[in-house]
Structures are given as structure tokens and as C-alpha cells.
Amino acid sequence: MIDIRDILTLDDNNEYVVVSKILYEDRIYYYLVDKKDNANLKFCYEKGDNLVELNDKVLVTKLLPLFLDAAKSVNFDD
């Protein structure tokens, strides 16, 4: 199970921090930020045991406020 603050290495060999995780319409979505380049963001969803990058800009726009709300409740100081 992937949790917020986990570090994932994706196919591009970059390490990403999970900064937010939401359940939306029966699918789990993740908001990832590259550890070395904060401008490099990924939006992914779980499909089986894999993460699939989300390229639907309309859906990302719908999900962003949900990601932000979910991230507000996380204590990153621990």
C-alpha cells in the first residue's frame, strides 16, 4: 500500500514523494513531486499493482482541489 510521504522511483528513474492521496470515483489517485525538481509533478492512479500516469487535464483539474484538501490534514513535520 502506498502512503503519503512514501518515496517512489518511477520508470523515468526519478524519485517522487507522495504528497497527497485521494479516493475519487472508486479509484485511488496520487499527487507526486520529484525530490530533486519540485516543478516535476506527476498525477497517477492505481491499476492493479501498478501506477499509471494520468494525462487527462480535465480530470486533473477536478482532482487538484481534492488533493489540496487531503494534503492539509497531513503533518509533514514528523
Side-chain angles (χ1 to χ4, degrees), residues 10-72:
L10 299 184
D11 291 341
D12 62 3
N13 289 321
N14 292 339
E15 291 184 323
Y16 294 85
V17 178
V18 179
V19 295
S20 191
K21 173 182 175 179
I22 60 170
L23 177 63
Y24 179 76
E25 294 185 350
D26 298 322
R27 183 175 270 174
I28 298 175
Y29 292 91
Y30 298 94
Y31 178 8
L32 311 175
V33 177
D34 189 318
K35 279 181 63 175
K36 294 181 181 175
D37 179 6
N38 290 339
N40 185 12
L41 309 174
K42 300 279 185 190
F43 300 95
C44 303
Y45 62 91
E46 282 187 357
K47 185 173 184 180
D49 289 337
N50 297 311
L51 283 183
V52 177
E53 189 170 354
L54 181 62
N55 293 313
D56 181 338
K57 292 183 181 188
V58 173
L59 181 56
V60 169
T61 301
K62 287 181 184 179
L63 297 177
L64 274 173
L66 302 174
F67 280 126
L68 294 175
D69 284 343
K72 287 178 186 176

